[in-house]
Amino acid sequence: MKFRNFKAVPKMIFGRGAFNQLHDILSEERKQDDDFVVFLVDKVHQDKALKDRIPLRGQDQLLWVDVTDEPTTVQVDTLTEQVKAKQKLPVSVIGIGGGSTLDLAKAVALMLTNEGGSAKYQGWDLIQNPAVHHVGIPTISGTGAEASRTAVLCGPERKLGLNSDHTVFDQIVMDPELIQGVPKDQWFYTGMDCYIHCIESLTGTFLNEYSQAFGEKALDLCRQVYLDSHPDSDDKLMMASYMGGMSIAYSQVGACHAISYGLSYVLGYHHGIGNCLAFNVLEDFYPEGVMEFRKMLDIHQIELPQNVCADLPDETIAKMVKIAKGMAPLWENVYGEHWQEQVTDDMLTRLYRRI
Ligand code: NAD
Ligand code: ZN
């Protein structure tokens, strides 16, 4: 048995108003007069108060990013070229937004120091050189991207992360004020990503005391947010996201994420909603979790899309089945070593047809 040597985010600030300290954090990185910082910010903040609070200095680069579609290798390479046009490397890359923006910031920080385009590095531990210093600042919570060692990208052949120790943020700023005002459906879908991380981690065969400790606490926080509508829900959800991320980082996700990847790659569903669609048909895998999830749907009056796959052509379903089946570590987490005997095309086809 070889244990994973897990790299965690070395520095973090948590608290309402913590965003105001970004200026100080960056001052530590700015050493020469021509040093500059790159801010990759979700376009949604273009018309919000946060825009005027970004601690921009004269030479800094502010790039608004469009996350209508989930990040692609092409988008990362284009952003990287825009930064490289400055002729000098930035001293820091800051991502401000949701999982999509955080992943873009991680990927650009990596691609500034690793040649050849991001598609080349989709996989595990392919990154050669350390990234430029990079900071993650979530403005919607649930994915755990602030805690993880991956930057998930849709590439020419597949949706797969740049997984490496160098991917991990050098610093995160968790300011619960920033997630105020997220539209309700999106708040639910992204938050459920965290809930599902906990269920998959806690019921998986890879579970150990480390991931259980994070997973149980994150699950408890999710319940306070989505069942009890606790007054400090923003603080709780932000912490749940981080801890759920830590839990899966040292164990693994499971059946829901495998099926959701198929929906995402073939039909373009975003991660959060894709997970909700998949989770809703997984009562045989996660009976209590799915029951509780449906209660949460009900409380928040969220209507999931219906008949998403029922009438799709067989070949479309077959494509999704192939992608889901390819997620070996996820299935191993569900069933253990002999997962291949259980994960049949027939079983997956039946699940997809119910979505
Ligand atoms: P997102 O970043 O895709 O954003 C979802 C929507 O919320 C967007 O329309 C965005 O503009 C909006 N938004 C963000 N902040 C807002 C705010 N404060 N107010 C109003 N609107 C706001 O959402 P997400 O669910 O956080 O991220 C999904 C992405 O994360 C996917 O691309 C997925 O692959 C990736 N992901 C990464 C990891 C990882 O470990 N790296 C884990 C899970 C998912
Ligand atoms: Zn997820």
Side-chain angles (χ1 to χ4, degrees):
M1 174 94 182
K2 195 159 183 282
F3 297 104
R4 202 173 320 152
N5 196 356
F6 172 59
K7 164 111 183 269
V9 176
K11 288 184 135 186
M12 75 97 200
I13 304 184
F14 180 94
R16 292 183 162 259
F19 186 79
N20 294 336
Q21 278 169 250
L22 184 57
H23 174 270
D24 298 343
I25 291 166
L26 297 180
S27 298
E28 281 179 36
E29 304 304 319
R30 301 182 196 265
K31 296 193 175 83
Q32 285 154 8
D33 286 348
D34 60 347
D35 280 350
F36 73 102
V37 168
V38 176
F39 294 91
L40 294 180
V41 189
D42 186 327
K43 256 188 181 166
V44 78
H45 295 294
Q46 245 170 347
D47 319 313
K48 294 188 175 223
L50 190 66
K51 178 182 173 216
D52 300 319
R53 296 174 59 205
I54 299 170
L56 270 178
R57 290 238 198 121
Q59 321 214 37
D60 291 349
Q61 206 173 14
L62 171 59
L63 301 172
W64 295 106
V65 294
D66 187 335
V67 297
T68 312
D69 297 319
E70 293 195 335
T72 63
T73 50
V74 173
Q75 191 180 10
V76 167
D77 297 344
T78 309
L79 287 165
T80 306
E81 285 314 311
Q82 277 177 269
V83 177
K84 279 188 168 169
K86 296 268 275 184
Q87 309 292 335
K88 183 184 168 179
L89 283 183
V91 292
S92 189
V93 175
I94 323 294
I96 305 177
S100 300
T101 311
L102 298 184
D103 281 355
L104 283 170
K106 290 179 184 183
V108 169
L110 287 165
M111 287 309 109
L112 286 169
T113 53
N114 289 274
E115 296 296 325
S118 51
K120 189 174 143 190
Y121 300 100
Q122 285 184 288
W124 282 268
D125 302 303
L126 303 173
I127 298 284
Q128 303 290 318
N129 305 313
V132 168
H133 180 270
H134 49 303
V135 180
I137 309 183
T139 68
I140 180 171
S141 287
T143 64
E146 63 278 20
S148 75
R149 76 191 289 278
T150 187
V152 184
L153 301 179
C154 300
E157 279 162 38
R158 55 204 165 154
K159 181 175 174 183
L160 183 61
L162 312 181
N163 298 269
S164 82
D165 281 354
H166 302 303
T167 311
V168 178
F169 281 118
D170 295 291
Q171 165 89 55
I172 55 177
V173 177
M174 294 196 280
D175 181 344
E177 281 179 359
L178 303 184
I179 67 171
Q180 251 166 35
V182 172
K184 191 175 87 171
D185 280 16
Q186 191 62 57
W187 166 81
F188 188 86
Y189 295 139
T190 298
M192 283 303 112
D193 188 23
C194 176
Y195 178 78
I196 294 165
H197 289 162
C198 298
I199 301 293
E200 290 181 314
S201 169
L202 291 169
T203 55
T205 61
F206 292 167
L207 189 67
N208 54 62
E209 208 60 52
Y210 183 94
S211 40
Q212 186 169 350
F214 284 106
E216 283 177 352
K217 184 63 198 177
L219 183 60
D220 173 43
L221 291 166
C222 286
R223 288 179 174 144
Q224 293 182 48
V225 173
Y226 289 100
L227 292 176
D228 307 337
S229 302
H230 193 285
D232 291 333
S233 280
D234 289 343
D235 303 58
K236 289 181 185 290
L237 184 57
M238 188 161 263
M239 207 51 225
S241 171
Y242 174 81
M243 295 186 93
M246 292 295 279
S247 183
I248 50 170
Y250 210 72
S251 57
Q252 186 50 275
V253 286
C256 179
H257 275 70
I259 291 166
S260 170
Y261 271 117
L263 288 173
S264 173
Y265 201 79
V266 178
L267 302 181
Y269 278 96
H270 284 209
H271 189 72
I273 189 170
N275 281 351
C276 288
L277 289 168
F279 199 60
N280 202 28
V281 299
L282 292 176
E283 58 278 79
D284 288 349
F285 289 77
Y286 310 112
E288 288 163 23
V290 173
M291 251 169 39
E292 195 166 60
F293 165 74
R294 290 182 185 152
K295 206 165 147 191
M296 293 171 175
L297 278 174
D298 214 36
I299 290 174
H300 298 287
Q301 299 174 334
I302 304 290
E303 304 265 347
L304 285 182
Q306 302 289 319
N307 296 325
V308 168
C309 298
D311 305 321
L312 291 178
D314 288 342
E315 28 324 345
T316 311
I317 299 284
K319 266 190 212 157
M320 294 195 279
V321 166
K322 188 162 172 242
I323 289 175
K325 210 172 175 182
M327 311 302 288
L330 283 64
W331 293 114
E332 191 178 343
N333 187 34
V334 176
Y335 290 111
E337 224 184 316
H338 302 294
W339 63 270
Q340 268 153 320
E341 295 158 16
Q342 317 269 350
V343 184
T344 61
D345 288 6
D346 186 45
M347 183 267 275
L348 290 172
T349 303
R350 269 187 282 119
L351 286 172
Y352 275 117
R353 284 288 181 203
R354 285 185 53 214
I355 292 176

